[in-house]
Amino acid sequence: MQDLIEFDEQRKVFHLHNTKISYLFSVEDGNVLSHLYFGKAITKYHGQLRYPRIDRGFSGNLPGSTDRGFSRDTLPQEYSSNGTGDYRIPAVIIQHNNGSYADAFCFKNYKIENGKPQLEGLPQAYVKNPNEAQTLTVTLEDQINQIEVDLLYTIYRNRAVITRAACVKNNSKDSVTLEKVASMQLDFVAKKFDSICLPGAHANERHFDRAKIDYGVKSFESRRGTSSHHMNPFVALVDEKTDEFSGEAYGFNFVYSGNHAFQIEKDQIGQTRIVVGINDYDFSWKLDAGKTFQTPEVLLVYSANGLNEMSQEYHHIIRERVVRSKFKYQERPILVNNWEATYFDFDEEKLKPIVDEAKSLGIEMFVLDDGWFGKRDDDTSSLGDWKVYHKKFPQGLKHFSDYVHEQKLKFGIWFEPEMISIDSDLYRAHLDYLMQVPKRDPSPSRSQFVLDMSRAEVRDNIYTQMVEILDEGIDYVKWDMNRHLSDVYSLGLPPKQQGEVYHRYILGVYELLEKLTQRYPNILFEGCSGGGGRFDAGWAYYMPQSWTSDNTDAIARLTIQYGTSLAYPISTITAHVSAIPNHQTGRKTPLKTRSDVAMSGVFGYELDLTQMTLQEKNDVKEQVAFYKSIRKLVQFGDFYRLKNPTNGNQAAWMFVSSNRDEVMVFVFQILAFAQPEFTKTILVGLDEDRTYQDVVTKEEFTGLELMNLGIYDPVAQEDYTSKIYHFKALK
Ligand code: GLA
């Protein structure tokens, strides 16, 4: 096996490389680590093309050095220290025992090993065998403060992916306070970037947003205690000319579900620094003598061929090496969820006909959503009481789940484990489980409050309650979180350590999830947080799929699913057909369009099947059968975005099987016009010389025709239309 990481002892240069990418950095004067290059693979670095030296006013030099051309303030670095002359955004800020915030981290030693070490208690990309990746650990040290930082770099053999994380170790005799610990930093020279991020709101998540990086600091972050609908923990830096198919793109995908920050600074000489990690907002961490602090990791991707290639790298690494569940390779069941069908107004007798209908339509799973527990008739009570509501299920939950199983459907159930209602037995028994600042009334949100998941006794209580339900033969769990953190405080920590609560909260949630997913390997877990409020790679480690948005309107979903696909694989993106007028937007879209949008992800229904007309039921039956025939391709094929709906009237995307035998193309038109301009959809990713046959019309085309002439889009005299093409290569 060829080594993926080399260290040139003479020139003091590290080179991480595979067939796709190279990443280079060196040890410079004063043992400062300097970034040299991240991009297309180079076979060898001869050591000459180094950062130039020049005396720049007001950018100071190393202590004891007479070289005025070398400054920490301008040097591209790997992990910058605070308070010692680099005025740009630091990667780490530590308050020491003498009150100082200054560090100068210098190269101490390094280690190269096969595989990838486990990051304790955190989600992460993993390896299946040690040969598929190598890991470099570079240890930096501040000798005066006796603090070490390990920088971890893992490069995979066949992917354009590097993972990075950092680990701080306190070797001094005193406690120190970590005020900030980024997972990574990357400095770029001579590049002009746009940023692409995925901002949004509840029911309006992950819009594709592109803007120029200019002087100053730009920050994309969450302060909500979770990764949030509002700013997804993913950012790309792309060349100004980069599009879906050409140009450079650097992706940064943070494997973490708590507060995050992506800080980007364009400095005095036009260089760009990006620092990614746990948000330092309301963060501080007491690091006792001899202790370590491990950061979560970032998945870095480089693409020389535009955004689609970057996304495909993310789709691959998350699907293959972040998701762990046995379901990662399994075709996911088509479900019907009762939320938009009934909301809280249901009981066993009302649900049974929906189950019966689902069975006759070929649907494979029934999901019982919010309202089955405690005394939950609306959203003001019972969170924390995970016992069946006997008014709705007089003979117990098992009686109903048996009924569902007898119809040969799987049975799924909804939980919101991190929350508590004031009107709950849990609250009456344990007032102190509710997270709040002493003497201060906490703020409600959706009439509910947050449990202090940083405390083991709180997690144990919820775990015990959930296990009782899950032991009863549950096939699927939807894990929800319907508010964000406020009034953050833990009775489990002394006053001086309250800055640890946000991070300890998410570590506690991860621990609970680890226990549950290990205990129930046969349960399919679906993430959710008021729709897509926790759609992140950290969550994917525990849950192979996530509810993408509470917005089920087909047209709104075009932009949401388009944006989500930038960083996350289709097998994680769940999408349901719902009723019209749509409950979030009031829009009326054709059933076919709703189904085509939902079929572009992990497919399901979320409406009262019993209320449909005979014609609609027939259509649904066909949709279900059709999706079963294409779902392998959709969920596990190569996905390409073709037309961005964000600023346009169309969306288009396609799926190609790995052997390029089978192809699905989806084209959506939002509004109709009287004198329409003709438009085309040009396909990509096919074999040039093979003949592809349209499964419906039997027309034949070579790959070259489809990828050059393209297909004229249909002209529809109706708003909100869609068209699917299904091609198979002739043998
Ligand atoms: C959230 C979810 C919905 C539904 C409701 C139930 O909003 O995203 O799908 O489960 O909670 O309260």
Side-chain angles (χ1 to χ4, degrees):
M1 284 282 168
Q2 211 208 324
D3 276 341
L4 302 170
I5 303 174
E6 286 157 47
F7 183 55
D8 179 338
E9 294 279 351
Q10 197 195 341
R11 299 183 178 92
K12 294 204 170 0
V13 173
F14 290 97
H15 188 184
L16 294 81
H17 56 89
N18 59 26
T19 52
K20 295 185 166 181
I21 50 171
S22 276
Y23 189 110
L24 286 158
F25 60 96
S26 59
V27 183
E28 295 290 333
D29 300 15
N31 285 330
V32 180
L33 275 199
S34 177
H35 182 73
L36 286 168
Y37 174 76
F38 180 30
K40 245 186 198 171
I42 56 167
T43 42
K44 183 170 169 56
Y45 174 64
H46 285 84
Q48 282 97 359
L49 303 163
R50 297 232 176 183
Y51 188 70
R53 298 193 178 209
I54 176 175
D55 183 2
R56 295 197 189 264
F58 292 85
S59 289
N61 315 112
L62 292 182
S65 165
T66 52
D67 182 356
R68 290 175 47 164
F70 186 87
S71 174
R72 282 201 188 98
D73 191 32
T74 52
L75 187 77
Q77 296 191 49
E78 284 297 304
Y79 201 75
S80 58
S81 313
N82 185 59
T84 47
D86 183 349
Y87 298 99
R88 296 167 292 178
I89 297 168
V92 56
I93 304 175
I94 303 171
Q95 189 179 30
H96 300 284
N97 195 33
N98 63 3
S100 148
Y101 292 95
D103 280 294
F105 286 108
C106 301
F107 175 71
K108 185 179 180 191
N109 53 40
Y110 73 96
K111 182 171 83 182
I112 296 171
E113 61 193 310
N114 286 339
K116 187 168 187 291
Q118 180 84 10
L119 308 182
E120 213 44 53
L122 288 165
Q124 59 206 283
Y126 56 87
V127 292
K128 272 203 161 163
N129 73 63
N131 285 331
E132 66 184 42
Q134 278 187 335
T135 299
L136 165 67
T137 305
V138 177
T139 302
L140 309 178
E141 184 184 37
D142 183 292
Q143 282 188 341
I144 300 188
N145 292 323
Q146 301 268 292
I147 305 285
E148 283 181 2
V149 179
D150 281 349
L151 302 182
L152 289 104
Y153 302 79
T154 298
I155 180 165
Y156 281 82
R157 194 164 292 281
N158 301 316
R159 313 303 317 178
V161 180
I162 286 178
T163 70
R164 283 194 58 182
C167 182
V168 182
K169 182 164 187 207
N170 181 0
N171 291 331
S172 77
K173 293 197 176 59
D174 303 305
S175 303
V176 297
T177 307
L178 308 180
E179 304 279 345
K180 174 181 185 177
V181 199
S183 296
M184 60 145 287
Q185 167 193 323
L186 195 55
D187 285 357
F188 295 94
V189 183
K191 287 196 185 290
K192 290 194 171 22
F193 283 127
D194 285 350
S195 61
I196 296 175
C197 65
L198 298 172
H202 173 232
N204 192 19
E205 297 92 336
R206 289 177 299 283
H207 286 238
F208 181 103
D209 191 63
R210 182 167 182 159
K212 189 173 152 70
I213 293 292
D214 229 320
Y215 289 97
V217 177
K218 198 165 186 171
S219 188
F220 304 101
E221 52 184 286
S222 167
R223 271 169 257 121
R224 295 169 172 271
T226 177
S227 50
S228 85
H229 317 76
H230 303 73
M231 188 57 74
N232 192 263
F234 164 81
V235 167
L237 291 177
V238 304
D239 185 84
E240 292 165 319
K241 295 197 188 69
T242 293
D243 60 24
E244 285 287 3
F245 298 101
S246 69
E248 290 198 300
Y250 293 90
F252 304 89
N253 199 333
F254 195 25
V255 190
Y256 186 61
S257 316
N259 284 345
H260 58 82
F262 294 65
Q263 298 168 298
I264 300 164
E265 178 170 10
K266 184 164 168 178
D267 74 8
Q268 55 173 332
I269 46 176
Q271 303 176 147
T272 305
R273 166 171 294 180
I274 177 164
V275 176
V276 182
I278 296 173
N279 200 329
D280 59 355
Y281 163 82
D282 272 6
F283 171 86
S284 66
W285 193 275
K286 183 166 173 272
L287 194 66
D288 287 330
K291 295 284 183 210
T292 56
F293 180 88
Q294 174 64 57
T295 72
E297 74 181 13
V298 182
L299 308 174
L300 283 74
V301 162
Y302 171 76
S303 160
N305 302 304
L307 295 172
N308 267 310
E309 190 175 288
M310 175 198 74
S311 297
Q312 287 178 358
E313 289 290 346
Y314 279 123
H315 295 177
H316 188 276
I317 188 85
I318 293 174
R319 203 169 60 202
E320 309 296 328
R321 293 292 180 268
V322 175
V323 171
R324 295 177 301 169
S325 148
K326 75 167 203 186
F327 294 95
K328 72 183 201 173
Y329 295 121
Q330 284 185 19
E331 294 178 31
R332 309 290 163 70
I334 300 173
L335 62 81
V336 60
N337 177 305
N338 76 308
W339 178 242
E340 286 199 21
T342 64
Y343 295 102
F344 293 105
D345 181 18
F346 64 83
D347 59 17
E348 180 165 353
E349 288 317 307
K350 188 168 173 187
L351 296 179
K352 277 181 174 169
I354 302 182
V355 176
D356 298 344
E357 201 63 71
K359 179 191 178 188
S360 75
L361 298 174
I363 291 172
E364 298 158 314
M365 179 157 74
F366 177 83
V367 175
L368 177 61
D369 210 278
D370 193 355
W372 60 267
F373 54 92
K375 295 195 173 53
R376 183 102 161 155
D377 286 315
D378 56 36
D379 61 17
T380 61
S381 86
S382 303
L383 292 169
D385 296 347
W386 302 107
K387 309 235 168 357
V388 72
Y389 189 3
H390 279 279
K391 188 179 97 183
K392 293 186 182 180
F393 298 96
Q395 300 177 75
L397 189 63
K398 183 83 172 54
H399 185 261
F400 179 59
S401 68
D402 282 349
Y403 180 80
V404 175
H405 285 139
E406 279 155 23
Q407 312 315 308
K408 301 275 178 292
L409 264 73
K410 292 187 183 307
F411 178 68
I413 197 162
W414 180 95
F415 281 98
E416 201 180 348
E418 299 156 70
M419 296 293 150
I420 184 165
S421 306
I422 296 288
D423 182 6
S424 68
D425 291 342
L426 185 68
Y427 184 71
R428 285 181 279 272
H430 300 285
L431 302 184
D432 63 302
Y433 282 11
L434 187 152
M435 190 184 279
Q436 60 185 311
V437 180
K439 297 191 189 151
R440 181 177 292 280
D441 279 342
S443 310
S445 181
R446 206 200 191 198
S447 305
Q448 66 191 55
F449 298 87
V450 181
L451 282 170
D452 181 358
M453 298 303 275
S454 71
R455 285 167 59 192
E457 62 270 40
V458 178
R459 298 194 296 271
D460 289 348
N461 181 303
I462 298 299
Y463 176 77
T464 309
Q465 290 197 58
M466 288 182 77
V467 159
E468 264 188 48
I469 301 287
L470 298 181
D471 280 346
E472 284 192 0
I474 305 285
D475 304 303
Y476 157 110
V477 165
K478 178 174 170 188
W479 180 297
D480 211 340
M481 181 205 197
N482 277 316
R483 64 159 291 168
H484 289 149
L485 275 59
S486 70
D487 307 278
V488 171
Y489 192 94
S490 176
L491 294 176
L493 287 169
K496 284 229 160 73
Q497 283 177 256
Q498 292 300 321
E500 299 177 16
V501 181
Y502 276 113
H503 184 51
R504 287 192 186 275
Y505 176 92
I506 195 67
L507 291 179
V509 173
Y510 286 152
E511 192 203 83
L512 177 58
L513 272 173
E514 185 69 25
K515 268 167 78 178
L516 287 167
T517 51
Q518 295 301 331
R519 178 168 173 151
Y520 300 103
N522 297 326
I523 292 183
L524 170 60
F525 281 83
E526 175 158 341
C528 178
S529 173
R534 201 143 59 179
F535 210 113
D536 60 72
W539 218 238
Y541 186 69
Y542 305 97
M543 315 227 175
Q545 59 190 54
S546 275
W547 181 225
T548 312
S549 177
D550 272 350
N551 193 336
T552 56
D553 172 57
I555 300 307
R557 275 291 184 125
L558 293 175
T559 47
I560 295 171
Q561 291 175 205
Y562 191 93
T564 306
S565 77
L566 210 64
Y568 305 101
I570 302 301
S571 58
T572 63
I573 299 176
T574 61
H576 300 168
V577 175
S578 62
I580 51 166
N582 178 267
H583 295 190
Q584 293 78 39
T585 62
R587 192 178 279 128
K588 293 183 186 168
T589 51
L591 180 57
K592 174 173 162 33
T593 305
R594 280 176 274 152
S595 154
D596 288 354
V597 173
M599 281 198 207
S600 304
V602 175
F603 187 57
Y605 290 84
E606 187 152 338
L607 42 71
D608 188 346
L609 298 168
T610 65
Q611 301 296 308
M612 299 181 101
T613 64
L614 198 57
Q615 176 62 50
E616 285 171 333
K617 285 181 190 168
N618 285 337
D619 290 348
V620 168
K621 206 172 194 167
E622 277 178 25
Q623 291 163 4
V624 167
F626 180 61
Y627 187 71
K628 285 178 185 167
S629 74
I630 60 159
R631 75 177 142 189
K632 188 162 174 233
L633 174 58
V634 168
Q635 294 175 7
F636 305 109
D638 292 336
F639 177 76
Y640 294 89
R641 288 176 301 272
L642 302 176
K643 295 183 189 180
N644 185 345
T646 310
N647 306 309
N649 192 41
Q650 288 189 323
W653 45 63
M654 64 185 284
F655 301 86
V656 183
S657 62
S658 57
N659 55 11
R660 294 187 285 279
D661 269 0
E662 196 180 355
V663 182
M664 296 288 311
V665 184
F666 291 68
V667 182
F668 303 93
Q669 177 166 299
I670 300 171
L671 295 178
F673 294 99
Q675 284 297 342
E677 284 181 19
F678 288 123
T679 56
K680 279 181 170 184
T681 298
I682 312 275
L683 308 198
V684 294
L686 311 181
D687 279 333
E688 296 189 344
D689 296 325
R690 284 170 94 184
T691 302
Y692 290 88
Q693 187 179 54
D694 185 315
V695 170
V696 177
T697 65
K698 305 292 178 217
E699 289 170 318
E700 293 176 11
F701 314 88
T702 57
L704 275 173
E705 284 177 282
L706 293 169
M707 294 194 293
N708 289 290
L709 279 74
I711 312 167
Y712 275 107
D713 297 323
V715 173
Q717 287 182 309
E718 188 189 350
D719 291 341
Y720 318 130
T721 53
S722 62
K723 169 92 185 159
I724 301 187
Y725 304 88
H726 188 188
F727 298 100
K728 285 192 176 158
L730 297 179
K731 298 281 175 224

